[in-house]
Each structure stands twice: as structure tokens, then as C-alpha cells.
Amino acid sequence: MKIVAAKKILKANDQLAEENRERFTSAGIFGVNIVGSPGSGKTTLLEALFVRLKGRAKPAVIEGDIAGSIDAERIDAMGIPVVQINTEGACHLDANMIAAAARDLDLEGVDLLVVENVGNLVCTAGFDLGEHLRIVVLSVPEGDDKLAKYPAIFQGSDALVITKIDLLPYIKFDVDRVIGDMVRLAPQAEIFQVAAIKGEGMDSLAEWLARKCHAGKRTADNPAPDHS
Ligand SMILES: Nc1nc2c(ncn2[C@@H]2O[C@H](COP(=O)(O)OP(=O)(O)OP(=O)(O)O)[C@@H](O)[C@H]2O)c(=O)[nH]1
Ligand SMILES: [Mg+2]
């Protein structure tokens, strides 16, 4: 019987992720990995972002789900190139899947490649995909204790987007607690508060992402994010 240590798998993933990042960087593509719980509002956030990024960035999307193509159909309906990965049970995407999916995408003219990871706050934390930026989404109904309970995913992220703030009047959720926890876990991270459907906070998030994307394109040697 052969036993493969998890450490070895992660090392191989890191190597592939680095290759992805180099490929994207040299093609002038800025890679973003969106992580968060199932139903936190990741796809809705992307839909709201793409409307606002029209004319400022040309996006393509890789959707990660255990089964089905519901999210890819939503992105396709916006006329944005998209590939759906079905992990068939795996709780996260890895760099190998991204390399394969990117080959299936028409990336001509694309300068922003957004990956919507499988909804999960645990497994996704350990796998660098080769992105330049990782955004973690936390929705108000999930509760304000998630950073304390699942620190790794927040620690390794470059931005926290608190979504569904339109529900704050109805749900016990201490925004200050979440901000305080994020500042402790990832002092350099940006923090946004949005209601993706109603649009509150979306313009400043889109503005920030457009700036990051253009700065990333200018810098041929983006440093790898620290996801340790
Ligand atoms: N009230 C409110 N509901 C929202 C908001 N954003 C998303 N939703 C709702 O939350 C539910 C889940 O949204 P999705 O965008 O599909 O969530 P997701 O994170 O992509 O889900 P998975 O891909 O399955 O992990 C849907 O019913 C959305 O309409 C928001 O800002 N406010
Ligand atoms: Mg989704």
C-alpha cells in the first residue's frame, strides 16, 4: 500500500500554483480567488461586480462546485467567458484544476480571471490556486464568530467582503467584532461592507478591484500571496 503524505501533495500544489501565477502574469491576466461558505453570496457578488467593471476590465470566470453548472450559467448569461469545474465531492479547487480549466477558456483580451471556489471555509484555505489576490466573503446570516472559529481562511486573504448588510436590522451580527478580528488576523487586508443585490458598497469594491487589476497588470513580478 502506498501512503502519500498531505505535505507532499500541498508542495506539488504550491509548485503548480506558482506556474499558474507566472502564466497569468506574463499574459497580463490578474487572478482573483473568491472563497466563502456555501450561499454566502459569492456568485451574486460577481454579478454585481461585473456590471460595475464594464469597460474597465475584461473578465473570465472559473466556477468551482461539487456538482452542476448553475453558477456557470449565471455568468454565461452575462456574456462572460466561463468554465465550470465539478469537483465530484472534493471540497476545494486546486492549482491543477485551474491550469486545466484555464486551457479551456478563451482568454483572448481577458485581463481579470476570477475563480469562484467551492463554498467552504476550511479546505479552500490550504490550496493556493496561482491567484494574485484572495477575497473572502462572509455574509451577515453566517454570524459574527466565523473569524474566531475558522481563522486560517481569513488570515490568508487580501480582502474581506462582508455581504448581505441589508439584513443587519434583522440579525444579531456585530460588524465591529468582525472588523476587529480581521484586523488581528490580517492587518494588511482591505475590508468592505456590501449589499450586492441592492448595490450598497458595490461601487467602492469595484473601484478597488479595478485598481488592483490594473496595478497587477503593470507589475510583471507580482509577489506570491502569503497563504500560510
Ligand atoms: N439579502 C441579500 N441576499 C443576498 C445577497 N447576496 C446574495 N444573496 C442571496 O443569497 C443566496 C445565495 O447567493 P449566491 O450568490 O448563490 O451564493 P454563493 O456563495 O455563490 O453560493 P454557492 O456557490 O452555492 O456557495 C441567494 O438567495 C441570493 O439571492 C445580499 O447582498 N443580500
Ligand atoms: Mg456560487
Side-chain angles (χ1 to χ4, degrees), residues 190-210:
E190 297 284 334
I191 301 173
F192 297 91
Q193 298 179 45
V194 306
I197 297 173
K198 290 189 174 167
E200 196 179 339
M202 284 306 306
D203 287 343
S204 51
L205 176 60
E207 176 64 35
W208 174 79
L209 189 58

Side-chain angles (χ1 to χ4, degrees), residues 8-170:
K8 260 194 183 162
I9 295 171
L10 281 176
K11 202 172 158 203
N13 183 76
D14 282 351
Q15 226 158 9
L16 271 174
E18 212 45 64
E19 286 169 25
N20 285 348
R21 192 157 23 247
E22 279 165 22
R23 197 169 312 134
F24 297 147
T25 303
S26 63
I29 294 170
F30 190 68
V32 180
N33 180 11
I34 309 272
V35 294
S37 299
S40 52
K42 299 179 294 299
T43 313
T44 307
L45 187 75
L46 291 187
E47 290 166 331
L49 269 174
F50 292 149
V51 169
R52 288 163 176 82
L53 288 174
K54 240 181 202 150
R56 300 159 80 190
K58 186 168 182 333
V61 176
I62 296 174
E63 284 289 348
D65 280 294
I66 288 175
S69 57
I70 293 170
D71 285 357
E73 285 162 25
R74 288 168 65 180
I75 301 298
D76 184 59
M78 300 186 80
I80 292 168
V82 57
V83 167
Q84 175 83 52
I85 298 173
N86 279 161
T87 62
E88 297 175 345
C91 53
H92 63 87
L93 297 176
D94 63 32
N96 194 29
M97 297 176 196
I98 297 305
R103 278 194 289 274
D104 282 342
L105 265 176
D106 178 9
L107 292 174
E108 186 60 40
V110 166
D111 56 11
L112 176 65
L113 178 60
V114 181
V115 178
E116 181 182 339
N117 217 315
V118 179
N120 193 297
L121 283 182
V122 184
C123 321
T124 49
F127 286 81
D128 183 1
L129 305 180
E131 72 271 22
H132 299 101
L133 194 79
R134 190 167 89 193
I135 298 176
V136 59
V137 174
L138 174 72
S139 63
V140 165
E142 289 169 68
D144 55 20
D145 57 1
K146 293 300 162 289
L147 288 86
K149 290 181 170 180
Y150 305 89
I153 190 83
F154 295 93
Q155 212 157 26
S157 293
D158 305 288
L160 165 67
V161 178
I162 304 171
T163 53
K164 310 191 190 180
I165 60 164
D166 51 303
L167 300 179
L168 280 172
Y170 315 104

